Amino acid sequence: PAALSLFGDMFVRKERALPPSLYMATGNMMATGAFLIGGAVYQYAGTQTLITAMEPWRFTLLAVSIPGFLMVALFALTVREPERVTSQPTQEAQGTGVDALLPFLRNHKTMFIPFFIATGMISSLTLGVVSWAPTLLIRLHDLTASNASFVFGSVGLPFSVFGTLFLPWLANRLQKAGRQDGIVLILLLSVAIPAPTIIFGLLMGQYWLLVAAFSICMMFLPTISVLTCLGMQMISPSRLRARTVAVNLLVINLFGYTVGPLLSGFLADRVFTGPNAIASALALMAAIIGPTAILGFLLSRRSFARMMSIQKD
């Protein structure tokens, strides 16, 4: 939230779509790139002689955490706080905390309620797919753990980077063309294409169809977090920009990291049986979540466009 708020102060409104898209593209890139890097490090960990008493999974976690310390130092030495850009300066004195946030959310509840429901639901499907994709390749097609990570990372990395850069750009083009609901229209596209695709890929049982389905999913689904956070930036006054982004990320994380993997695992254990249980569970989730998310974004579309036209900073 703090990083995305900084972009709002560093760039004017018409230039605000690309920087956070690039920033979040790195997150999406490494979310899938981690399967490539982690798979390679895990494979090396089994034969490494640096810390012979350490299990491969522990060595892998240790190895991939080290670059973070270097990035902290680089960030601290090179990044400076930008000047605050104020929108509606006459209202700044009214506060920037929860006392200001809650009335803003309440006054625009026709947008926020269906928007956050749709965001949370589709986030649970996204994390469900990401969490179980290598396992599905292992169980359904007899790949090893390192090979499954390599295959998923190889298709997920380029497609997620392309989607994270192209789809926000397309939303920005729609906005410049006069469509104030451009972000929501691309969100609808980002649900309508991958949801049926992953159902088809999971149920057909063909290796290359499943890999292709993962590719399409990774092009569209991770971009939803970028588009929704970008939307919060665009419709929120500067004093609340970081807080609305934080609420959006809270919804994504609560639904994605808890409901997604938990619900898919529960369905696989209690509803379905056999080696295809996880595939059937994810397919059922996509069949329910896809239409629900589309409905939520449709219900929020007009209110979102109205808020876009009001916010001028």
Side-chain angles (χ1 to χ4, degrees):
L4 293 173
S5 179
L6 289 177
F7 288 123
D9 291 331
M10 294 169 68
F11 300 92
V12 297
R13 184 178 180 84
K14 65 180 180 180
E15 299 175 352
R16 201 174 291 160
L18 182 60
S21 299
L22 289 171
Y23 168 73
M24 298 194 73
T26 61
N28 288 340
M29 178 177 69
M30 295 314 300
T32 49
F35 288 96
L36 287 173
I37 297 173
V41 175
Y42 183 79
Q43 191 170 26
Y44 167 76
T47 58
Q48 60 86 21
T49 58
L50 296 175
I51 312 177
T52 56
M54 183 175 287
E55 296 92 333
W57 68 271
R58 292 182 185 274
F59 181 89
T60 301
L61 291 177
L62 176 64
V64 299
S65 68
I66 292 175
F69 293 101
L70 302 178
M71 294 309 301
V72 167
L74 178 64
F75 186 84
L77 293 172
T78 59
V79 179
R80 295 293 178 265
E81 184 85 9
E83 293 185 12
R84 168 70 75 175
V85 178
T86 59
S87 60
Q88 305 174 5
T90 58
Q91 299 182 18
E92 289 290 336
Q94 296 181 8
T96 59
V98 176
D99 291 341
L101 175 64
L102 293 181
F104 179 70
L105 296 177
R106 185 168 55 249
N107 291 339
H108 301 285
K109 59 181 180 293
T110 56
M111 201 296 295
F112 284 114
I113 291 176
F115 189 91
F116 284 152
I117 290 175
T119 300
M121 293 290 285
I122 199 63
S123 297
S124 67
L125 178 62
T126 302
L127 267 296
V129 171
V130 172
S131 298
W132 290 108
T135 302
L136 285 167
L137 292 172
I138 293 170
R139 293 184 182 180
L140 300 181
H141 301 289
D142 298 324
L143 272 67
T144 64
S146 58
N147 285 340
S149 295
F150 178 79
V151 169
F152 182 64
S154 296
V155 298
L157 178 59
F159 278 90
S160 63
V161 172
F162 175 76
T164 306
L165 295 177
F166 173 71
L167 294 175
W169 173 85
L170 183 58
N172 191 47
R173 295 291 297 178
L174 289 175
Q175 180 188 335
K176 290 181 178 179
R179 293 303 303 254
Q180 299 292 347
D181 58 351
I183 290 177
V184 179
L185 292 177
I186 302 302
L187 282 169
L188 287 167
L189 184 71
S190 298
V191 177
I193 291 179
T197 299
I198 192 60
I199 295 174
F200 182 79
L202 288 169
L203 298 183
M204 289 301 294
Q206 299 295 318
Y207 172 74
W208 286 112
L209 287 178
L210 181 58
V211 172
F214 285 152
S215 302
I216 294 174
C217 283
M218 296 312 295
M219 176 179 172
F220 288 97
L221 292 180
T223 308
I224 291 174
S225 62
V226 181
L227 290 168
T228 53
C229 287
L230 180 61
M232 293 301 103
Q233 277 196 324
M234 292 295 191
I235 65 175
S236 303
S238 62
R239 72 189 191 279
L240 295 176
R241 193 176 292 131
R243 295 183 182 274
T244 55
V245 169
V247 173
N248 186 70
L249 290 175
L250 179 64
V251 170
I252 290 173
N253 290 334
L254 283 179
F255 277 84
Y257 287 102
T258 56
V259 176
L262 180 64
L263 180 59
S264 56
F266 174 82
L267 291 173
D269 286 341
R270 302 297 178 87
V271 178
F272 301 102
T273 59
N276 293 329
I278 289 294
S280 300
L282 286 176
L284 178 61
M285 287 177 60
I288 297 173
I289 288 173
T292 303
I294 288 174
L295 178 61
F297 286 132
L298 283 174
L299 291 175
S300 66
R301 184 174 63 87
R302 290 188 178 181
S303 296
F304 183 93
R306 185 165 56 250
M307 294 176 71
M308 281 282 292
S309 62
I310 294 172
Q311 193 57 242
K312 299 298 183 182
D313 71 306

